[in-house]
Amino acid sequence: MSDSALLGERETAVLRWRCRRGLVENDLFLDRFFAAFGQRLSTAQASGLSALMALPDNDLLDLFLRRAEPRGGLDTPEVKSVLEQLRQPSMARP
């Protein structure tokens, strides 16, 4: 499967379920992301998002708010791409 292949409906639903977080602030970013991009998520986006979900909530929020940048194993094109989508100004507004 190529990185540009789109996720199926079930795969997207499973990913969305796995993205539930303990901090409501993170959930707000992720809910907006899925509302904007959920119907057309690629496997590359899913990979980047899954890598971000391995982080503790406070570290994830720091990335969302640009207090930190991805380092080490998170410094990948997939993570950076999804992170930029999550950080879009339109994604930060209620």
Side-chain angles (χ1 to χ4, degrees):
M1 181 180 288
S2 81
D3 285 348
S4 62
L6 296 181
L7 294 183
E9 187 176 323
R10 174 150 170 66
E11 294 165 313
T12 301
V14 168
L15 180 61
R16 187 175 189 143
W17 177 260
R18 290 178 41 215
C19 287
R20 296 178 330 142
R21 305 302 295 193
L23 284 177
V24 71
E25 293 86 349
N26 287 339
D27 282 336
L28 292 173
F29 275 97
L30 292 162
D31 286 346
R32 290 183 187 123
F33 174 83
F34 277 101
F37 304 106
Q39 296 299 317
R40 56 186 192 281
L41 283 176
S42 70
T43 55
Q45 289 170 307
S47 174
L49 197 53
S50 293
L52 288 170
M53 293 305 103
L55 293 172
D57 282 335
N58 290 326
D59 293 345
L60 184 61
L61 186 59
D62 285 345
L63 287 172
F64 288 168
L65 296 176
R66 297 182 189 269
R67 294 180 193 158
E69 292 300 324
R71 290 181 280 155
L74 286 178
D75 192 7
T76 67
E78 295 85 7
V79 168
K80 287 179 178 181
S81 176
V82 167
L83 195 52
E84 283 310 308
Q85 289 175 307
L86 284 155
R87 289 172 166 176
Q88 288 179 10
S90 60
M91 299 294 292
R93 293 186 194 132

